[in-house]
């Protein structure tokens, strides 16, 4: 499976179906990196190097790591609403 295909699968997991790989997102959409890797690895060969490459090269910047790289989440693709006067 290509990194593009895994990225699409990862997007599905982090946005809509975390239960598909047995993970739970917190109230802000974060999940432990190790749990995501282990969950995806149950279905596809997957490791930290692949995850880092997907995050670094995704042209839509769909994913973000926490500052310590222990957590990951899907970024919101919606622009924030601008409050006017």
């Amino acid at each position: 499976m290509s990194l593009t295909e895994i990225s699409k699968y990862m997007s599905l997991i982090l946005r809509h179906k975390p239960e598909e790989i047995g993970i739970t997102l917190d109230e802000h959409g974060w999940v432990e990196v190790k749990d995501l890797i282990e969950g995806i690895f149950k279905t596809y060969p997957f490791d930290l190097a692949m995850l880092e490459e997907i995050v670094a090269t995704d042209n839509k910047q769909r994913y973000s790591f926490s500052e310590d790289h222990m957590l990951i989440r899907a970024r919101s693709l919606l622009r924030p609403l601008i409050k006017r006067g």
Side-chain angles (χ1 to χ4, degrees):
M1 174 166 267
S2 72
L3 286 181
T4 300
E5 291 169 320
I6 293 175
S7 179
K8 289 178 182 180
Y9 181 64
M10 194 167 84
S11 181
L12 173 72
I13 297 301
L14 292 176
R15 293 182 188 282
H16 306 290
K17 295 184 175 185
E19 69 280 357
E20 189 165 307
I21 63 168
I23 63 172
T24 302
L25 309 179
D26 73 11
E27 65 273 9
H28 302 288
W30 293 103
V31 66
E32 289 192 31
V33 167
K34 69 174 186 62
D35 293 343
L36 179 66
I37 292 169
E38 289 171 3
I40 293 174
F41 189 78
K42 292 175 188 175
T43 307
Y44 303 108
F46 192 64
D47 61 21
L48 180 59
M50 294 169 77
L51 176 60
E52 289 176 337
E53 185 173 347
I54 287 169
V55 173
T57 61
D58 185 76
N59 63 344
K60 293 185 181 178
Q61 299 180 336
R62 290 179 184 95
Y63 315 105
S64 59
F65 285 113
S66 60
E67 286 186 28
D68 62 3
H69 278 235
M70 299 299 290
L71 303 173
I72 189 167
R73 70 176 174 185
R75 295 174 124 183
S76 173
L77 299 178
L78 301 175
R79 293 184 183 171
L81 296 176
I82 299 171
K83 293 184 179 180
R84 298 185 189 236

